[in-house]
Coordinates of all heavy atoms in Angstrom, one line a residue:
M1 N -33.9 14.9 -13.4 CA -34.4 14.6 -14.7 C -33.4 14.6 -15.8 O -32.5 15.3 -15.8 CB -35.5 15.7 -14.9 CG -36.6 15.8 -14.0 SD -37.7 14.4 -14.1 CE -38.9 14.8 -15.4
Y2 N -33.7 13.7 -16.7 CA -32.8 13.6 -17.9 C -33.7 13.9 -19.2 O -34.9 13.7 -19.2 CB -32.2 12.1 -18.1 CG -31.5 11.7 -16.8 CD1 -31.9 10.6 -16.1 CD2 -30.4 12.4 -16.5 CE1 -31.2 10.2 -15.0 CE2 -29.6 11.9 -15.4 CZ -30.0 10.8 -14.6 OH -29.4 10.4 -13.6
Q3 N -33.0 14.4 -20.2 CA -33.6 14.6 -21.4 C -33.3 13.5 -22.4 O -32.1 13.1 -22.5 CB -33.1 16.0 -22.1 CG -33.3 17.2 -21.3 CD -34.9 17.5 -21.1 OE1 -35.6 17.4 -22.1 NE2 -35.3 17.8 -20.0
V4 N -34.3 13.1 -23.1 CA -34.1 12.1 -24.1 C -34.5 12.6 -25.5 O -35.7 13.2 -25.7 CB -35.0 10.8 -23.9 CG1 -34.7 9.8 -24.9 CG2 -34.8 10.3 -22.5
R5 N -33.5 12.7 -26.4 CA -33.8 13.1 -27.7 C -34.0 12.0 -28.6 O -33.2 11.0 -28.7 CB -32.6 14.0 -28.2 CG -32.9 14.6 -29.5 CD -31.7 15.7 -29.8 NE -31.8 16.1 -31.2 CZ -30.7 16.4 -31.9 NH1 -29.5 16.3 -31.3 NH2 -30.8 16.7 -33.1
L6 N -35.1 12.0 -29.3 CA -35.6 10.8 -30.2 C -35.4 11.2 -31.7 O -36.1 12.1 -32.1 CB -37.0 10.4 -29.8 CG -37.5 9.1 -30.3 CD1 -36.6 7.9 -29.8 CD2 -38.9 8.9 -29.8
L7 N -34.5 10.5 -32.4 CA -34.4 10.7 -33.8 C -35.0 9.6 -34.6 O -35.3 8.5 -34.0 CB -32.9 10.7 -34.2 CG -32.0 11.7 -33.4 CD1 -30.5 11.5 -33.8 CD2 -32.4 13.1 -33.7
P8 N -35.5 9.7 -35.8 CA -35.2 10.8 -36.7 C -36.2 12.0 -36.6 O -36.0 13.0 -37.2 CB -35.4 10.1 -38.1 CG -36.4 9.2 -37.9 CD -36.2 8.7 -36.5
H9 N -37.2 11.9 -35.8 CA -38.3 13.0 -35.7 C -37.8 14.2 -34.9 O -38.4 15.2 -35.0 CB -39.6 12.4 -35.2 CG -40.1 11.2 -35.9 ND1 -40.3 11.2 -37.3 CD2 -40.2 9.9 -35.6 CE1 -40.7 10.0 -37.8 NE2 -40.6 9.3 -36.7
D10 N -36.7 13.9 -34.1 CA -36.1 15.0 -33.3 C -37.2 15.6 -32.3 O -37.5 16.7 -32.4 CB -35.5 16.1 -34.2 CG -34.5 16.8 -33.4 OD1 -34.1 16.4 -32.3 OD2 -33.9 17.7 -34.0
V11 N -37.7 14.7 -31.5 CA -38.6 15.1 -30.4 C -37.8 14.9 -29.1 O -37.0 13.9 -29.0 CB -39.9 14.4 -30.4 CG1 -40.8 14.9 -31.6 CG2 -39.8 12.9 -30.4
T12 N -38.1 15.6 -28.1 CA -37.4 15.5 -26.9 C -38.4 15.3 -25.7 O -39.4 16.0 -25.8 CB -36.5 16.7 -26.6 OG1 -35.6 16.9 -27.7 CG2 -35.8 16.6 -25.3
F13 N -38.1 14.4 -24.8 CA -39.0 14.3 -23.6 C -38.1 14.0 -22.4 O -36.8 13.8 -22.6 CB -40.0 13.1 -23.9 CG -39.4 11.8 -24.1 CD1 -39.1 10.9 -23.1 CD2 -39.0 11.4 -25.4 CE1 -38.5 9.7 -23.4 CE2 -38.5 10.2 -25.7 CZ -38.2 9.3 -24.7
A14 N -38.7 14.2 -21.3 CA -38.0 14.1 -20.0 C -38.3 12.8 -19.3 O -39.4 12.2 -19.5 CB -38.3 15.3 -19.1
T15 N -37.3 12.2 -18.6 CA -37.5 11.1 -17.7 C -36.8 11.3 -16.5 O -35.8 12.0 -16.4 CB -37.0 9.8 -18.4 OG1 -37.1 8.7 -17.5 CG2 -35.6 9.9 -18.9
D16 N -37.4 10.7 -15.4 CA -36.8 10.9 -14.0 C -35.7 9.8 -13.8 O -35.2 9.7 -12.7 CB -37.9 10.8 -13.0 CG -38.7 9.6 -13.0 OD1 -38.4 8.6 -13.7 OD2 -39.8 9.5 -12.3
G17 N -35.6 8.9 -14.7 CA -34.6 7.8 -14.5 C -35.2 6.6 -13.8 O -34.5 5.6 -13.5
E18 N -36.4 6.8 -13.2 CA -37.0 5.7 -12.5 C -38.0 4.9 -13.4 O -38.3 3.7 -13.3 CB -37.8 6.2 -11.3 CG -36.9 6.9 -10.3 CD -35.8 5.9 -9.7 OE1 -36.1 4.7 -9.5 OE2 -34.7 6.4 -9.6
Q19 N -38.7 5.7 -14.3 CA -39.6 5.1 -15.3 C -38.8 4.6 -16.4 O -37.6 5.0 -16.6 CB -40.7 6.0 -15.7 CG -40.0 7.3 -16.3 CD -41.0 8.5 -16.5 OE1 -40.6 9.7 -16.6 NE2 -42.3 8.3 -16.3
T20 N -39.2 3.6 -17.2 CA -38.5 3.2 -18.4 C -38.5 4.3 -19.5 O -39.4 5.2 -19.4 CB -39.1 1.9 -18.9 OG1 -40.4 2.1 -19.5 CG2 -39.1 0.8 -17.9
V21 N -37.6 4.2 -20.3 CA -37.6 5.1 -21.5 C -38.9 5.0 -22.2 O -39.5 6.1 -22.6 CB -36.5 4.8 -22.5 CG1 -36.5 5.6 -23.7 CG2 -35.1 5.1 -21.7
L22 N -39.5 3.9 -22.4 CA -40.8 3.7 -23.1 C -41.9 4.4 -22.3 O -42.7 5.2 -22.9 CB -41.1 2.2 -23.3 CG -42.4 2.0 -23.9 CD1 -42.6 2.6 -25.3 CD2 -42.8 0.4 -23.9
E23 N -42.0 4.2 -21.0 CA -43.0 4.8 -20.2 C -42.9 6.4 -20.3 O -43.9 7.0 -20.5 CB -42.8 4.4 -18.7 CG -43.4 3.0 -18.5 CD -42.9 2.5 -17.1 OE1 -42.0 3.1 -16.5 OE2 -43.5 1.5 -16.7
A24 N -41.7 6.8 -20.2 CA -41.5 8.3 -20.3 C -41.9 8.8 -21.6 O -42.6 9.9 -21.7 CB -40.0 8.7 -20.0
A25 N -41.6 8.1 -22.7 CA -42.1 8.6 -24.0 C -43.6 8.5 -24.2 O -44.2 9.5 -24.7 CB -41.4 7.7 -25.1
L26 N -44.2 7.5 -23.7 CA -45.7 7.4 -23.8 C -46.3 8.4 -22.9 O -47.3 9.0 -23.3 CB -46.1 6.0 -23.4 CG -45.6 4.8 -24.3 CD1 -46.1 3.5 -23.8 CD2 -46.1 5.0 -25.7
N27 N -45.8 8.6 -21.8 CA -46.4 9.7 -20.9 C -46.3 11.1 -21.5 O -47.1 12.0 -21.2 CB -45.6 9.7 -19.5 CG -46.0 8.5 -18.7 OD1 -47.0 8.0 -18.8 ND2 -45.1 8.2 -17.7
A28 N -45.3 11.2 -22.4 CA -45.1 12.6 -23.1 C -45.9 12.6 -24.4 O -45.9 13.6 -25.1 CB -43.6 12.8 -23.4
G29 N -46.7 11.6 -24.6 CA -47.6 11.5 -25.8 C -46.9 11.2 -27.1 O -47.4 11.5 -28.1
I30 N -45.8 10.5 -27.0 CA -45.0 10.1 -28.2 C -45.4 8.7 -28.5 O -45.4 7.8 -27.7 CB -43.4 10.2 -27.9 CG1 -43.2 11.7 -27.7 CG2 -42.7 9.6 -29.0 CD1 -41.8 12.0 -27.1
A31 N -45.6 8.5 -29.8 CA -46.1 7.2 -30.3 C -44.8 6.3 -30.4 O -44.4 6.0 -31.6 CB -46.8 7.3 -31.6
F32 N -44.3 5.9 -29.3 CA -43.0 5.0 -29.4 C -43.6 3.6 -29.7 O -44.4 3.1 -29.0 CB -42.4 5.1 -28.0 CG -40.9 4.7 -28.1 CD1 -40.0 5.7 -28.0 CD2 -40.6 3.4 -28.2 CE1 -38.6 5.4 -28.0 CE2 -39.1 3.1 -28.3 CZ -38.2 4.1 -28.1
P33 N -42.9 2.9 -30.6 CA -43.4 1.6 -30.9 C -43.3 0.6 -29.7 O -42.2 0.6 -29.1 CB -42.4 1.1 -32.1 CG -41.6 2.3 -32.5 CD -41.8 3.3 -31.5
N34 N -44.2 -0.1 -29.5 CA -44.2 -1.1 -28.4 C -45.3 -2.1 -28.5 O -46.3 -1.9 -29.2 CB -44.3 -0.4 -27.0 CG -45.7 0.1 -26.7 OD1 -46.4 -0.6 -26.1 ND2 -45.9 1.3 -27.2
R35 N -45.2 -3.1 -27.8 CA -46.3 -4.1 -27.8 C -46.3 -4.8 -26.4 O -47.1 -4.5 -25.6 CB -46.2 -5.1 -28.9 CG -47.5 -6.0 -29.0 CD -47.6 -6.7 -30.4 NE -46.4 -7.5 -30.5 CZ -46.0 -7.9 -31.7 NH1 -46.6 -7.6 -32.9 NH2 -44.9 -8.6 -31.9
C36 N -45.3 -5.6 -26.1 CA -45.4 -6.4 -24.8 C -45.1 -5.6 -23.6 O -45.6 -5.9 -22.6 CB -44.5 -7.6 -25.0 SG -42.7 -7.2 -24.9
Q37 N -44.2 -4.7 -23.7 CA -43.6 -3.9 -22.6 C -42.9 -4.7 -21.5 O -42.7 -4.3 -20.4 CB -44.7 -3.0 -22.0 CG -45.3 -2.1 -23.0 CD -46.1 -1.0 -22.4 OE1 -46.3 -0.8 -21.2 NE2 -46.7 -0.2 -23.2
V38 N -42.6 -6.0 -21.8 CA -41.8 -6.8 -20.9 C -40.5 -7.4 -21.5 O -40.0 -8.3 -20.9 CB -42.7 -8.0 -20.4 CG1 -43.9 -7.4 -19.5 CG2 -43.2 -8.9 -21.5
G39 N -40.1 -6.8 -22.6 CA -38.7 -7.2 -23.0 C -38.8 -8.4 -23.9 O -37.8 -9.1 -24.1
A40 N -40.0 -8.7 -24.4 CA -40.1 -10.0 -25.3 C -40.3 -9.8 -26.8 O -39.8 -10.6 -27.5 CB -41.3 -10.9 -24.7
C41 N -40.9 -8.8 -27.2 CA -41.4 -8.7 -28.6 C -40.4 -7.9 -29.5 O -40.4 -8.1 -30.7 CB -42.7 -7.9 -28.7 SG -42.7 -6.2 -28.4
A42 N -39.5 -7.1 -28.9 CA -38.5 -6.3 -29.6 C -39.1 -5.1 -30.4 O -38.3 -4.6 -31.2 CB -37.6 -7.3 -30.5
M43 N -40.3 -4.9 -30.3 CA -40.9 -3.8 -31.0 C -40.3 -2.4 -30.6 O -40.2 -1.5 -31.3 CB -42.4 -3.7 -30.7 CG -43.2 -4.7 -31.4 SD -43.7 -4.2 -33.1 CE -44.8 -2.8 -32.7
C44 N -39.8 -2.4 -29.4 CA -39.4 -1.1 -28.8 C -37.9 -0.9 -29.0 O -37.3 0.0 -28.5 CB -39.7 -1.0 -27.3 SG -38.7 -2.2 -26.4
M45 N -37.2 -1.9 -29.8 CA -35.8 -1.7 -29.9 C -35.4 -0.5 -30.7 O -36.1 -0.1 -31.6 CB -35.3 -2.9 -30.7 CG -34.8 -4.2 -29.9 SD -34.3 -5.5 -30.8 CE -32.6 -5.0 -31.1
C46 N -34.4 0.2 -30.1 CA -33.9 1.5 -30.7 C -32.4 1.6 -30.5 O -31.9 0.8 -29.7 CB -34.7 2.7 -30.2 SG -34.4 2.9 -28.5
R47 N -31.8 2.5 -31.2 CA -30.3 2.5 -31.1 C -29.9 3.7 -30.2 O -30.3 4.8 -30.5 CB -29.7 2.7 -32.5 CG -29.1 1.4 -33.0 CD -28.8 1.5 -34.3 NE -27.3 1.4 -34.5 CZ -26.8 0.9 -35.7 NH1 -27.6 0.4 -36.6 NH2 -25.5 0.7 -35.7
K48 N -29.1 3.4 -29.3 CA -28.6 4.5 -28.4 C -27.3 5.1 -29.1 O -26.4 4.4 -29.3 CB -28.2 3.9 -27.0 CG -27.7 4.9 -26.1 CD -27.7 4.4 -24.6 CE -26.7 3.2 -24.5 NZ -25.3 3.5 -24.6
Q49 N -27.4 6.4 -29.3 CA -26.3 7.1 -30.0 C -25.4 7.8 -29.0 O -24.2 8.0 -29.1 CB -26.8 8.1 -31.0 CG -27.5 7.4 -32.1 CD -27.7 8.3 -33.3 OE1 -27.7 9.5 -33.2 NE2 -27.9 7.7 -34.5
Q50 N -26.1 8.2 -27.8 CA -25.4 8.9 -26.8 C -26.1 8.7 -25.5 O -27.2 8.5 -25.4 CB -25.4 10.5 -27.1 CG -24.4 11.0 -28.1 CD -24.6 12.5 -28.2 OE1 -24.8 13.2 -27.2 NE2 -24.5 13.0 -29.5
G51 N -25.3 8.6 -24.4 CA -25.9 8.5 -23.1 C -25.7 7.1 -22.5 O -25.1 6.2 -23.2
E52 N -26.2 7.0 -21.3 CA -26.0 5.7 -20.5 C -27.4 5.3 -20.0 O -28.2 6.2 -19.7 CB -25.1 5.9 -19.4 CG -23.6 6.2 -19.8 CD -23.0 5.2 -20.7 OE1 -23.3 4.1 -20.5 OE2 -22.2 5.6 -21.5
I53 N -27.6 4.0 -19.9 CA -28.9 3.4 -19.4 C -28.5 2.4 -18.4 O -27.4 1.8 -18.4 CB -29.8 2.9 -20.5 CG1 -29.0 1.8 -21.4 CG2 -30.3 4.0 -21.4 CD1 -29.8 0.7 -21.8
R54 N -29.6 2.0 -17.7 CA -29.5 0.7 -16.9 C -30.7 0.0 -17.2 O -31.7 0.5 -17.7 CB -29.4 1.0 -15.4 CG -30.5 1.7 -14.8 CD -30.2 2.2 -13.4 NE -31.3 3.1 -12.9 CZ -32.4 2.7 -12.2 NH1 -32.6 1.4 -11.8 NH2 -33.3 3.6 -11.9
Y55 N -30.7 -1.4 -16.9 CA -31.9 -2.2 -17.1 C -32.6 -2.6 -15.8 O -31.9 -3.0 -14.9 CB -31.5 -3.4 -18.0 CG -31.3 -3.1 -19.5 CD1 -30.0 -3.3 -20.0 CD2 -32.3 -2.8 -20.2 CE1 -29.8 -3.0 -21.4 CE2 -32.1 -2.4 -21.6 CZ -30.9 -2.6 -22.1 OH -30.8 -2.3 -23.4
Q56 N -33.9 -2.7 -15.9 CA -34.6 -3.4 -14.8 C -34.6 -4.9 -15.1 O -34.5 -5.7 -14.1 CB -36.0 -2.9 -14.6 CG -36.9 -2.9 -15.8 CD -38.3 -2.3 -15.6 OE1 -38.5 -1.8 -14.5 NE2 -39.2 -2.5 -16.5
L57 N -34.6 -5.3 -16.3 CA -34.5 -6.7 -16.7 C -33.6 -6.7 -17.9 O -33.9 -6.1 -18.9 CB -35.9 -7.3 -17.0 CG -36.0 -8.8 -17.3 CD1 -35.7 -9.6 -16.1 CD2 -37.3 -9.0 -18.0
E58 N -32.5 -7.4 -17.8 CA -31.5 -7.4 -18.9 C -32.1 -8.1 -20.1 O -32.5 -9.3 -20.1 CB -30.2 -8.1 -18.4 CG -29.0 -7.9 -19.2 CD -28.4 -6.6 -19.0 OE1 -28.4 -6.1 -17.8 OE2 -27.8 -6.0 -20.0
P59 N -32.2 -7.4 -21.3 CA -32.8 -8.1 -22.4 C -31.8 -9.0 -23.1 O -30.6 -8.9 -22.9 CB -33.2 -6.8 -23.3 CG -32.2 -5.9 -23.0 CD -31.8 -6.0 -21.5
M60 N -32.3 -9.8 -23.9 CA -31.5 -10.7 -24.7 C -31.0 -10.1 -26.0 O -31.7 -10.0 -27.0 CB -32.2 -12.0 -25.0 CG -32.5 -12.8 -23.7 SD -32.6 -14.5 -23.9 CE -34.3 -14.7 -24.3
L61 N -29.7 -9.5 -25.9 CA -29.2 -8.9 -27.1 C -27.9 -9.6 -27.3 O -27.2 -9.9 -26.4 CB -29.0 -7.4 -26.8 CG -30.2 -6.5 -26.7 CD1 -29.8 -5.2 -26.1 CD2 -30.7 -6.3 -28.2
T62 N -27.5 -9.8 -28.6 CA -26.2 -10.4 -28.9 C -25.1 -9.3 -28.6 O -25.4 -8.1 -28.5 CB -26.2 -10.8 -30.4 OG1 -26.3 -9.6 -31.1 CG2 -27.2 -11.7 -30.7
E63 N -24.0 -9.8 -28.5 CA -22.8 -8.8 -28.3 C -22.7 -7.8 -29.4 O -22.5 -6.6 -29.2 CB -21.4 -9.6 -28.1 CG -21.3 -10.0 -26.8 CD -19.9 -10.8 -26.6 OE1 -19.0 -10.5 -27.4 OE2 -19.9 -11.7 -25.8
K64 N -23.0 -8.3 -30.6 CA -23.0 -7.5 -31.8 C -24.0 -6.3 -31.7 O -23.8 -5.2 -31.9 CB -23.2 -8.2 -33.1 CG -23.2 -7.5 -34.4 CD -23.1 -8.4 -35.6 CE -23.1 -7.6 -36.9 NZ -24.3 -7.0 -37.3
E65 N -25.3 -6.8 -31.3 CA -26.3 -5.8 -31.2 C -26.0 -4.8 -30.0 O -26.3 -3.6 -30.2 CB -27.7 -6.5 -30.8 CG -28.2 -7.2 -32.0 CD -29.4 -8.2 -31.6 OE1 -29.4 -8.6 -30.4 OE2 -30.2 -8.5 -32.4
Q66 N -25.4 -5.2 -29.0 CA -25.1 -4.3 -27.9 C -24.0 -3.3 -28.4 O -24.0 -2.2 -28.1 CB -24.5 -5.1 -26.7 CG -25.7 -5.8 -26.0 CD -25.2 -6.5 -24.7 OE1 -24.4 -6.0 -24.0 NE2 -25.8 -7.7 -24.4
A67 N -23.0 -3.9 -29.1 CA -21.9 -3.0 -29.6 C -22.5 -2.0 -30.6 O -22.0 -0.9 -30.7 CB -20.8 -3.9 -30.4
E68 N -23.6 -2.4 -31.3 CA -24.2 -1.4 -32.2 C -25.1 -0.4 -31.5 O -25.6 0.6 -32.1 CB -25.0 -2.2 -33.3 CG -24.1 -2.9 -34.3 CD -25.0 -3.8 -35.2 OE1 -26.2 -4.0 -34.9 OE2 -24.4 -4.4 -36.1
G69 N -25.3 -0.6 -30.3 CA -26.0 0.3 -29.4 C -27.5 0.0 -29.3 O -28.3 0.8 -28.7
W70 N -27.9 -1.2 -29.7 CA -29.4 -1.5 -29.6 C -29.8 -1.6 -28.1 O -29.1 -2.2 -27.4 CB -29.7 -2.9 -30.3 CG -29.6 -2.7 -31.8 CD1 -28.6 -3.1 -32.6 CD2 -30.5 -2.0 -32.7 NE1 -28.8 -2.7 -33.9 CE2 -30.0 -2.2 -34.0 CE3 -31.8 -1.4 -32.5 CZ2 -30.7 -1.6 -35.1 CZ3 -32.4 -1.0 -33.6 CH2 -31.9 -1.1 -34.9
I71 N -30.9 -1.1 -27.8 CA -31.4 -1.2 -26.4 C -32.9 -1.5 -26.5 O -33.6 -1.3 -27.6 CB -31.3 0.1 -25.6 CG1 -32.1 1.2 -26.2 CG2 -29.8 0.5 -25.4 CD1 -32.3 2.4 -25.2
F72 N -33.5 -2.1 -25.5 CA -35.0 -2.3 -25.4 C -35.5 -1.1 -24.5 O -35.3 -1.1 -23.3 CB -35.2 -3.6 -24.7 CG -35.2 -4.8 -25.6 CD1 -34.1 -5.0 -26.3 CD2 -36.2 -5.7 -25.5 CE1 -34.0 -6.1 -27.2 CE2 -36.2 -6.9 -26.3 CZ -35.1 -7.1 -27.2
A73 N -36.3 -0.3 -25.2 CA -36.8 0.9 -24.4 C -37.7 0.6 -23.3 O -37.7 1.3 -22.4 CB -37.5 1.9 -25.4
C74 N -38.4 -0.6 -23.4 CA -39.4 -0.9 -22.3 C -38.6 -1.4 -21.1 O -39.3 -1.6 -20.1 CB -40.4 -1.9 -22.9 SG -39.7 -3.5 -23.1
Q75 N -37.3 -1.7 -21.2 CA -36.6 -2.2 -20.1 C -35.5 -1.2 -19.6 O -34.9 -1.5 -18.5 CB -35.9 -3.6 -20.3 CG -37.0 -4.7 -20.7 CD -38.0 -4.8 -19.6 OE1 -37.6 -5.0 -18.4 NE2 -39.3 -4.9 -19.9
A76 N -35.2 -0.2 -20.4 CA -34.1 0.7 -20.0 C -34.5 1.9 -19.3 O -35.6 2.5 -19.6 CB -33.5 1.0 -21.4
M77 N -33.7 2.3 -18.4 CA -33.9 3.5 -17.6 C -32.7 4.4 -17.9 O -31.6 3.9 -17.8 CB -34.2 3.3 -16.1 CG -35.6 2.6 -16.0 SD -35.7 1.8 -14.4 CE -34.6 0.4 -14.7
A78 N -32.9 5.7 -18.1 CA -31.9 6.6 -18.3 C -31.0 6.8 -17.1 O -31.6 7.0 -16.0 CB -32.3 7.9 -18.9
T79 N -29.7 6.8 -17.2 CA -28.9 7.3 -16.1 C -28.0 8.5 -16.6 O -27.1 8.9 -15.9 CB -27.9 6.2 -15.7 OG1 -27.1 5.7 -16.8 CG2 -28.7 5.0 -15.1
S80 N -28.4 9.1 -17.7 CA -27.9 10.4 -18.2 C -28.8 10.8 -19.3 O -29.7 10.2 -19.6 CB -26.5 10.1 -18.8 OG -26.6 9.5 -20.0
D81 N -28.5 12.0 -19.9 CA -29.2 12.4 -21.0 C -29.0 11.5 -22.2 O -27.9 10.8 -22.2 CB -28.8 13.8 -21.5 CG -29.3 14.9 -20.5 OD1 -30.1 14.6 -19.6 OD2 -28.8 16.1 -20.7
L82 N -30.0 11.3 -23.1 CA -29.8 10.2 -24.0 C -30.2 10.8 -25.5 O -31.0 11.8 -25.6 CB -30.8 9.1 -23.9 CG -30.7 8.2 -22.6 CD1 -31.9 7.3 -22.5 CD2 -29.4 7.5 -22.6
V83 N -29.6 10.2 -26.5 CA -30.0 10.4 -27.9 C -30.3 9.0 -28.4 O -29.4 8.2 -28.4 CB -28.9 11.1 -28.7 CG1 -29.3 11.3 -30.1 CG2 -28.5 12.5 -28.1
L84 N -31.5 8.8 -28.8 CA -31.9 7.5 -29.3 C -32.4 7.7 -30.8 O -32.9 8.7 -31.2 CB -33.1 7.0 -28.5 CG -32.8 6.9 -27.1 CD1 -34.1 6.3 -26.3 CD2 -31.7 5.8 -26.8
Q85 N -32.2 6.6 -31.6 CA -32.5 6.6 -32.9 C -33.6 5.4 -33.2 O -33.3 4.3 -32.9 CB -31.2 6.3 -33.9 CG -31.6 6.1 -35.3 CD -31.6 7.3 -36.1 OE1 -30.8 8.2 -35.8 NE2 -32.5 7.3 -37.1
L86 N -34.8 5.8 -33.7 CA -35.8 4.9 -34.1 C -35.6 4.7 -35.6 O -35.4 5.6 -36.3 CB -37.1 5.4 -33.8 CG -37.8 5.4 -32.5 CD1 -39.1 6.1 -32.5 CD2 -37.9 3.9 -32.0
D87 N -35.7 3.4 -36.0 CA -35.5 3.2 -37.4 C -36.9 3.1 -38.1 O -37.9 2.9 -37.5 CB -34.8 1.9 -37.7 CG -33.3 2.1 -37.5 OD1 -32.9 3.1 -37.7 OD2 -32.6 1.1 -37.0
Ligands
FES1 S1 -42.3 -3.5 -26.0 FE1 -41.9 -5.6 -26.3 S2 -39.8 -5.7 -25.9 FE2 -40.2 -3.7 -25.4

């Protein structure tokens, strides 16, 4: 299990690394922004400040966005503990 810390509200939830970050947040009762859940709408975009993820479906992010740490929570699975920032 990995711990995901979500800023700025500073809530923490757990994920097994098999479900997406979004699924884990919703299962924990956290109102994580989302709509399509298939990597298309960008509602779930957040910034990774710490940790590592892998994707089930690689989202379309520019190199600049990737360098800034933007991830799609509905496609990302944790491979370590994470710190994420919602704007
Ligand atoms: S919920 Fe639409 S891209 Fe993630």
Side-chain angles (χ1 to χ4, degrees):
M1 293 295 274
Y2 302 116
Q3 295 296 317
V4 183
R5 186 171 166 212
L6 193 58
L7 303 173
H9 305 300
D10 204 4
V11 291
T12 301
F13 57 94
T15 175
D16 59 7
E18 297 300 323
Q19 57 198 165
T20 65
V21 170
L22 176 63
E23 285 168 342
L26 296 179
N27 286 341
I30 293 163
F32 202 107
N34 74 94
R35 191 163 56 200
C36 72
Q37 301 194 6
V38 293
C41 74
M43 282 277 290
C44 67
M45 271 178 82
C46 61
R47 257 168 117 147
K48 180 167 64 68
Q49 296 193 337
Q50 285 178 36
E52 299 300 327
I53 55 145
R54 65 190 168 95
Y55 282 116
Q56 55 183 7
L57 183 70
E58 196 78 34
M60 292 210 270
L61 286 164
T62 65
E63 277 181 27
K64 180 169 181 285
E65 287 168 336
Q66 289 186 39
E68 289 172 350
W70 290 103
I71 66 163
F72 276 51
C74 72
Q75 298 301 313
M77 287 160 294
T79 58
S80 75
D81 288 350
L82 296 175
V83 179
L84 302 177
Q85 171 88 36
L86 278 176
D87 282 327

